[in-house]
Amino acid sequence: MTVGRDGEHVVWAGWRDPAERGFDLPEFRFAADQYEAEVLRAEADRGWEWPGAVVATLLEEGLRGREDWLARWECEVEAVWASRLEPDRIDVILRHPPGREETGLPWAQFSMILPISAEDPSDQAERLEARLTAGDPRATAELCGGYEPEQVGYPWP
């Protein structure tokens, strides 16, 4: 379908299903202010996520906001994620130095696996962020990739 704006309405129209010829649904119209309010509410609702996913999202937001910490150690956050298959942990991937993955210059990639508990996700993310930003993350992380990482001081084990 195509989502568009028509004056004070958000319109869902042009429904398509490549697997089913002749698929057709009527146009749906929503009051734009109510639609936007519902999108914002749904975006803020983390109730459908398992705790590890919430911790990962909050931790990534916190770490990306800590430019002072990232700059001090010449790192950037590549990813923070959680898997439903391993609900008791999250993975954090950092890159050093930042911005080099497509430059042809050497860089190193570091991985950290962090345990997750049944504790409140906000409290866990706050505690993990404090722990990670207390020092050089490269000292406790494991080298897991990069391009010629030995040239930036991290030889393969």
Side-chain angles (χ1 to χ4, degrees):
M1 72 159 153
T2 300
V3 178
R5 180 86 183 243
D6 181 16
E8 296 301 313
H9 292 93
V10 172
V11 181
W12 292 2
W15 297 84
R16 298 173 292 283
D17 183 351
E20 187 179 328
R21 278 188 146 33
F23 179 80
D24 191 33
L25 287 175
E27 177 179 282
F28 290 100
R29 297 178 86 67
F30 307 93
D33 58 340
Q34 292 176 343
Y35 187 92
E36 184 174 327
E38 182 58 19
V39 168
L40 291 172
R41 184 207 61 76
E43 191 175 74
D45 177 10
R46 296 281 193 228
W48 58 273
E49 292 180 300
W50 69 102
V54 178
V55 173
T57 299
L58 295 172
L59 180 59
E60 182 168 10
E61 288 170 1
L63 292 176
R64 287 189 189 279
R66 296 292 307 268
E67 292 179 17
D68 59 326
W69 170 71
L70 293 167
R72 182 175 348 129
W73 304 112
E74 296 184 81
C75 288
E76 66 184 339
V77 175
E78 185 174 321
V80 180
W81 78 89
S83 168
R84 284 191 184 275
L85 299 175
E86 298 175 294
D88 59 342
R89 68 180 246 186
I90 61 174
D91 296 81
V92 178
I93 304 293
L94 299 173
R95 191 177 302 121
H96 165 79
R100 288 197 173 179
E101 69 279 4
E102 295 179 14
T103 64
L105 296 171
W107 56 279
Q109 184 182 54
F110 296 91
S111 171
M112 290 178 271
I113 297 172
L114 305 173
I116 299 302
S117 68
E119 181 186 350
D120 176 71
S122 295
D123 292 342
Q124 286 188 78
E126 193 174 298
R127 181 177 41 76
L128 289 169
E129 181 183 338
R131 186 177 109 199
L132 291 175
T133 60
D136 183 348
R138 299 166 299 176
T140 57
E142 180 179 323
L143 180 68
C144 67
Y147 173 69
E148 298 181 350
E150 58 282 347
Q151 293 199 21
V152 289
Y154 297 94
W156 285 107

